[in-house]
Amino acid sequence: MSFAVLAEGLYAIAASLSTLSVDAQKRAAKDAAKKAAKATAAEERAAEKKASSKILIKRVERNKRKYVTAVSGLEAFGLDLKKVSKDFGKKFATGSSVTKMAGGTGEEIVVQGDLSDEIWEMLVEGEGYGVPEDNVDCVEDKKKKSAG
């Protein structure tokens, strides 16, 4: 083999490698654009979900004059339920716990006492939770009387 033939072969290999790297760069740029589009779409979906989700504050009658307040739907706003439960217990000087909801649909915070208005104010107006007022609903739920 002569030096010219060898040089010509190396030149052909180098040319194919350079086009390969350009193609790889194009694919990398295309993949990066796809990932960016997916990220923005995911952010939009999360914002839409957050805007459409509701926090439900239920006042449930336990006995004749005793109530508990159940707060559900806080997960959609990125709030840590255990931390919020502890804050409720400290602020209102009551027992507060995180329990699983019936039907396995998620978790809710149960606070002893009729504190629905105070919890609404705490979630909407302060304490760093920053939940929009439109996304919080208060509901009064009476316990059904047992037959007999």
Side-chain angles (χ1 to χ4, degrees):
M1 263 196 179
S2 73
F3 180 76
V5 173
L6 190 61
E8 195 173 294
L10 284 175
Y11 181 75
I13 291 173
S16 67
L17 282 178
S18 68
T19 58
L20 233 173
S21 65
V22 169
D23 289 342
Q25 286 176 355
K26 286 181 183 176
R27 271 184 278 161
K30 193 174 178 182
D31 289 346
K34 268 187 185 179
K35 285 182 182 179
K38 274 187 179 181
T40 55
E43 283 179 16
E44 288 173 6
R45 280 195 304 271
E48 189 176 306
K49 182 179 178 186
K50 190 174 181 179
S52 67
S53 59
K54 294 273 187 191
I55 293 178
L56 197 62
I57 302 173
K58 281 196 290 192
R59 187 181 89 165
V60 182
E61 187 175 338
R62 196 170 54 95
N63 286 333
K64 289 192 189 287
R65 292 185 343 221
K66 304 278 184 179
Y67 294 94
V68 293
T69 305
V71 183
S72 59
L74 291 170
E75 308 91 13
F77 293 90
L79 298 174
D80 181 25
L81 292 182
K82 290 196 181 251
K83 182 183 176 299
V84 174
S85 172
K86 194 161 190 157
D87 289 347
F88 286 166
K90 284 180 184 176
K91 173 132 175 131
F92 306 125
T94 62
S96 178
S97 64
V98 177
T99 59
K100 288 187 167 57
M101 292 195 315
T105 56
E107 293 181 324
E108 67 182 357
I109 297 176
V110 178
V111 183
Q112 293 178 358
D114 179 13
L115 299 167
S116 54
D117 295 334
E118 290 87 347
I119 290 174
W120 184 89
E121 286 177 13
M122 188 173 172
L123 288 174
V124 172
E125 294 174 0
E127 305 296 324
Y129 297 116
V131 178
E133 189 174 331
D134 300 339
N135 293 25
V136 182
D137 287 339
C138 289
V139 176
E140 185 173 337
D141 192 13
K142 295 210 176 201
K143 193 173 186 180
K144 295 176 183 172
K145 293 182 181 177
S146 58

